[in-house]
Amino acid sequence: MVKLKLGIPKGSLENATVDLFRRAGFNITVSSRSYFPVIDDPEIECMLIRAQEMARYVEDGVLDAGLTGLDWVMETGANVHTVADLVYSKQSFGKVRWVLAVPESSPIRSIADLEGKVIATELVGFTRRLLETHGVKAKVEFSWGATEVKPPVLADAIVEVTETGSSLRANNLRIVETLLESNTQLIANHAAWKDEPRRRKLEDLKMLLEGAINALGKVGLMLNVEASDLKAVLQVLPALKRPTVSQLSEDSWLAVNTILDESTVRTIIPALKKAGAQGIVEYPLNKIVM
């Protein structure tokens, strides 16, 4: 049996990734004493790797595949195959932004204003290449962390990742421009992708992980309704595509099954009841496979 060597991002993405795999049907057990998490799939072998280094190890074949951000793939310039875009991050299930930020009082208003300035960032290679494309010469310094506190004493500007912008605002920084939107990707080594058993496993993994993401914030709803009230009930229901309607044992009664946003349930259920629905059941969803 061929095992897929899979890199799990260590650090800020770790918990969100383990939770996503759980929703997809895989239980990953992480120990603080080991960099080799246990997964309940005999065809997968996991290893914890920092997201910043993941693409390089996948490119070199140390790992067959791994999960990391598009930002770090671009930063390293690694030649890897993108299996799937998985839009989730450490705080939310959305994209993150790398932004150019400066102190509120700074005269810098655009990338062009960075000429001769000092910029602190973890994304050094990307930032240098971006400045080159704009014909701007500036000093780009690697930041080991706490990048938000460096302006204006240690840097004129920073290129930093943010989800909500709250940390930047707390440090009296102003966003000048969004330079890159990034999300988590499932990437693979080209040789592993060409290998049929590994490719099949990666395609299955992609389907299940995407299904888990599709189900986030969604719930299933099933109910019974008399045929005479069906039209009124269907007018209340939004649906992923169309509600499923099936006949019950009594000819005059129908069952309706649908999927909707969890946030809408509190208003829809009372409306359904008024429209004639009975036996309304709400249930959680782990995966929606399109």
Side-chain angles (χ1 to χ4, degrees):
M1 178 179 61
V2 176
K3 283 201 173 189
L4 181 76
K5 293 180 290 184
L6 180 68
I8 302 295
K10 181 173 176 58
S12 61
L13 268 180
E14 185 179 329
N15 290 338
T17 301
V18 170
D19 185 60
L20 178 62
F21 269 76
R22 179 188 59 78
R23 290 174 175 269
F26 301 91
N27 289 312
I28 298 177
T29 304
V30 180
S31 169
S32 60
R33 298 180 180 180
S34 174
Y35 279 80
F36 296 92
V38 177
I39 186 169
D40 61 347
D41 186 325
E43 295 180 347
I44 300 176
E45 185 179 278
C46 293
M47 184 176 184
L48 284 175
I49 298 288
R50 286 177 59 82
Q52 293 90 328
E53 301 175 295
M54 187 75 72
R56 179 164 56 88
Y57 287 121
V58 171
E59 179 185 34
D60 292 344
V62 177
L63 297 168
D64 295 319
L67 293 101
T68 188
L70 168 64
D71 44 8
W72 298 115
V73 176
M74 294 181 67
E75 171 69 6
T76 60
N79 181 14
V80 293
H81 177 82
T82 302
V83 179
D85 277 302
L86 303 171
V87 184
Y88 75 96
S89 55
K90 63 181 178 180
Q91 291 180 0
S92 65
F93 285 84
K95 294 188 175 186
V96 298
R97 296 181 298 151
W98 282 89
V99 299
L100 172 64
V102 297
E104 287 285 0
S105 58
S106 172
I108 296 172
R109 298 288 169 181
S110 68
I111 293 176
D113 296 333
L114 294 172
E115 183 71 35
K117 304 297 185 184
V118 176
I119 306 165
T121 183
E122 283 186 79
L123 216 62
V124 173
F126 171 84
T127 303
R128 284 175 177 163
R129 291 191 294 270
L130 182 74
L131 292 174
E132 285 176 13
T133 63
H134 285 79
V136 173
K137 292 184 178 179
K139 185 178 182 182
V140 181
E141 295 183 338
F142 180 76
S143 174
W144 292 93
T147 308
E148 299 98 324
V149 304
K150 294 189 175 179
V153 178
L154 300 177
D156 300 297
I158 63 172
V159 173
E160 180 66 338
V161 67
T162 183
E163 290 188 47
T164 65
S166 58
S167 180
L168 297 174
R169 290 191 295 272
N171 286 279
N172 297 313
L173 296 177
R174 166 173 51 85
I175 295 176
V176 175
E177 192 173 326
T178 296
L179 306 181
L180 172 67
E181 282 195 342
S182 179
N183 56 266
T184 307
Q185 292 187 327
L186 174 60
I187 58 173
N189 173 273
H190 286 293
W193 184 248
K194 290 176 182 176
D195 178 67
E196 188 60 31
R198 288 183 174 88
R199 179 171 183 155
R200 227 175 14 247
K201 190 67 179 179
L202 283 166
E203 288 173 337
D204 289 348
L205 197 56
K206 171 187 175 181
M207 178 182 66
L208 294 170
L209 291 173
E210 286 180 339
I213 289 175
N214 291 337
L216 288 164
K218 307 283 185 184
V219 294
L221 203 70
M222 57 184 179
L223 57 92
N224 297 332
V225 62
E226 281 195 277
S228 58
D229 292 325
L230 179 62
K231 185 176 180 181
V233 164
L234 293 182
Q235 286 176 338
V236 174
L237 284 175
L240 198 62
K241 289 189 177 176
R242 291 181 182 177
T244 300
V245 180
S246 54
Q247 186 72 51
L248 293 178
S249 56
E250 289 188 34
D251 290 343
S252 62
W253 282 87
L254 301 166
V256 178
N257 207 322
T258 191
I259 295 170
L260 58 148
D261 292 330
E262 188 174 14
S263 59
T264 65
V265 171
R266 62 190 180 204
T267 56
I268 286 177
I269 287 181
L272 286 171
K273 191 68 177 172
K274 290 175 185 176
Q278 297 185 27
I280 303 170
V281 177
E282 176 191 345
Y283 54 92
L285 299 172
N286 281 331
K287 289 179 281 295
I288 301 175
V289 179
M290 308 297 283

